[in-house]
């Protein structure tokens, strides 16, 4: 949204607002969902599930706050890889081409 506001609408003020909102969201998501022990993100604030899809998207959308955190998530994702793709804990015994596509 910030890039569109800046490049398409030529509205740097709106772009700055979107960037600020994105930073606040990133900070809150890391505070609420990051599981330090697992080195990955939980599914939500009331769950202990560590989803393959959510953590794949966390990397894709740059939710991590440091290269070390990014590495921990990436390493954690690899634990669920099998020959045909990723088997996420949210769908035991099922290879998800949707999630595996993010990881490729």
């Amino acid at each position: 949204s910030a890039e569109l506001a800046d490049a398409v609408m030529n509205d740097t003020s709106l772009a700055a607002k979107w960037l600020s909102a994105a930073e606040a969201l990133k900070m809150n998501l890391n505070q609420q969902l990051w599981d330090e022990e697992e080195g990955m993100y939980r599914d939500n604030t009331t769950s202990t599930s560590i989803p393959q899809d959510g953590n794949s998207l966390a990397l894709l959308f740059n939710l991590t706050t440091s290269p070390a955190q990014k590495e921990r998530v990436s390493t954690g994702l690899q634990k669920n890889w099998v020959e045909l793709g990723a088997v996420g804990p949210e769908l035991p015994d099922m290879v998800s081409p949707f999630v595996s596509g993010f990881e490729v």
Side-chain angles (χ1 to χ4, degrees):
S1 297
E3 289 178 19
L4 288 174
D6 192 29
V8 176
M9 299 173 63
N10 199 29
D11 188 337
T12 56
S13 175
L14 183 58
K17 288 178 185 177
W18 278 113
L19 287 173
S20 178
E23 279 302 312
L25 181 60
K26 183 175 184 171
M27 181 183 70
N28 284 319
L29 287 171
N30 273 282
Q31 287 175 349
Q32 298 291 319
L33 301 179
W34 178 251
D35 186 318
E36 182 62 33
E37 185 176 321
E38 293 289 331
M40 297 177 81
Y41 293 94
R42 287 179 283 122
D43 192 41
N44 60 65
T45 58
T46 62
S47 173
T48 57
S49 174
I50 305 291
Q52 191 80 6
D53 58 354
N55 279 279
S56 297
L57 285 171
L59 291 180
L60 187 64
F61 294 151
N62 194 30
L63 184 61
T64 56
T65 59
S66 69
Q69 188 183 29
K70 189 177 291 186
E71 181 66 31
R72 290 185 72 195
V73 173
S74 183
T75 299
L77 289 170
Q78 292 175 36
K79 293 176 185 176
N80 296 321
W81 289 359
V82 296
E83 184 178 328
L84 299 175
V87 177
E90 63 272 26
L91 292 171
D93 302 320
M94 298 284 292
V95 171
S96 171
F98 181 66
V99 174
S100 297
F102 296 148
E103 296 180 36
V104 169

